[in-house]
Amino acid sequence: METGMLLVISGPAGAGKGTLINLLREWDPSFVFSVSCTTRGKRNYEEEGREYYFLSEEEFDSHIRQHDFLEYATVHDHRYGTLRSEVETRLEQGLNVVLDIDVQGGIAVMQKMPSCVSVFIYPPSFQDLLDHLHTRGTEKEEEISKRMANAHREVGQMGEYQYLLLNDTLDTAFDRLKTIVQAERMRSSRFHPVIPEKRDTEN
Ligand code: 5GP
């Protein structure tokens, strides 16, 4: 069986990663989202096991000791980690897996799984990010400042990614993402078409 595609999505907070990933999964349900572990508190719209597995520091440490993580990193003062179990078996089953992780994690995954497809989503301006974080309203001012500082750092590393995707309007950004996925599916390393002598005329 063919192995699935591992799609690594990174980009600053407020760049629209989550929305684009949801659109991708609606468009192609063979993409499953890798639910990460985090030690940050749950936001009121979030559900355990849907956005994240919300863990205590001790539980997180225990996963580290058991080598359960493909990668883990500290982001905005909290710890986040990608579980191997969310990624490896699914790829072996031929499913496509999409990760929403920060640049430290993205680079670690690129090193461990070089056949992954890496996409960095960037905004038209830093002001757009700031406006988006204010409209989203999930973070306090101090948290927003942290995310803006981190955004500048992350953008400085975007050259590590294979694809740089501008999110100026959602429709065009989603078209760009579909283009990447469609092209990646046609890679000779990913599939082996069997060409018959004649076309099957019954279809
Ligand atoms: P938030 O707390 O706003 O959901 O996410 C904060 C940041 O953590 C985002 O940049 C997100 O991509 C990143 N993140 C989420 N899960 C993981 C993970 O498993 N590993 C790493 N390295 N970063 C993650």
Side-chain angles (χ1 to χ4, degrees):
M1 194 200 287
E2 317 277 327
T3 61
M5 182 190 306
L6 178 59
L7 183 60
V8 177
I9 308 262
S10 298
K17 287 168 290 179
T19 310
L20 285 166
I21 289 173
N22 288 340
L23 286 174
L24 173 70
R25 292 175 57 221
E26 271 168 34
W27 174 65
D28 181 348
S30 72
F31 276 93
V32 285
F33 182 60
S34 162
V35 178
S36 293
C37 295
T38 183
T39 57
R40 86 148 158 75
K42 190 158 77 67
R43 297 179 184 140
N44 51 19
Y45 61 86
E46 291 177 325
E47 251 177 50
E48 166 67 27
R50 187 178 65 188
E51 282 83 5
Y52 287 105
Y53 300 112
F54 295 94
L55 305 185
S56 65
E57 298 291 341
E58 293 71 29
E59 288 167 326
F60 199 95
D61 284 336
S62 155
H63 279 303
I64 295 176
R65 278 197 302 274
Q66 288 166 33
H67 304 285
D68 292 335
F69 290 129
L70 181 60
E71 64 72 38
Y72 62 92
T74 299
V75 190
H76 316 133
D77 303 333
H78 301 290
R79 292 195 286 171
Y80 295 81
T82 306
L83 288 169
R84 290 181 191 285
S85 55
E86 290 283 306
V87 177
E88 290 170 356
T89 10
R90 284 149 160 195
L91 289 177
E92 282 157 19
Q93 289 165 346
L95 289 166
N96 301 315
V97 177
V98 56
L99 304 181
D100 172 345
I101 57 178
D102 87 319
V103 169
Q104 309 167 71
I107 292 173
V109 172
M110 287 175 217
Q111 285 164 352
K112 288 188 179 159
M113 312 201 60
S115 62
C116 72
V117 178
S118 56
V119 180
F120 187 92
I121 298 175
Y122 68 98
S125 72
F126 286 102
Q127 184 64 50
D128 282 82
L129 279 188
L130 190 59
D131 293 345
H132 189 237
L133 289 176
H134 279 136
T135 323
R136 186 165 91 178
T138 49
E139 284 91 8
K140 300 202 179 86
E141 270 317 304
E142 194 191 315
E143 289 294 315
I144 291 182
S145 307
K146 251 186 241 167
R147 278 161 176 71
M148 290 306 293
N150 210 31
H152 284 85
R153 232 190 350 260
E154 295 211 301
V155 163
Q157 288 176 288
M158 67 183 176
E160 302 287 333
Y161 285 72
Q162 292 165 320
Y163 295 98
L164 305 179
L165 193 161
L166 169 66
N167 187 1
D168 45 359
T169 68
L170 193 56
D171 283 353
T172 47
F174 184 45
D175 281 343
R176 292 179 184 119
L177 184 58
K178 285 191 287 191
T179 304
I180 294 168
V181 168
Q182 279 161 336
E184 284 293 333
R185 284 218 174 100
M186 288 184 272
R187 266 192 199 277
S188 58
S189 57
R190 217 177 282 289
F191 83 121
H192 313 279
V194 179
I195 306 168
E197 287 306 320
K198 286 189 182 160
R199 284 195 201 195
D200 182 354
T201 48
E202 283 178 14
N203 293 325

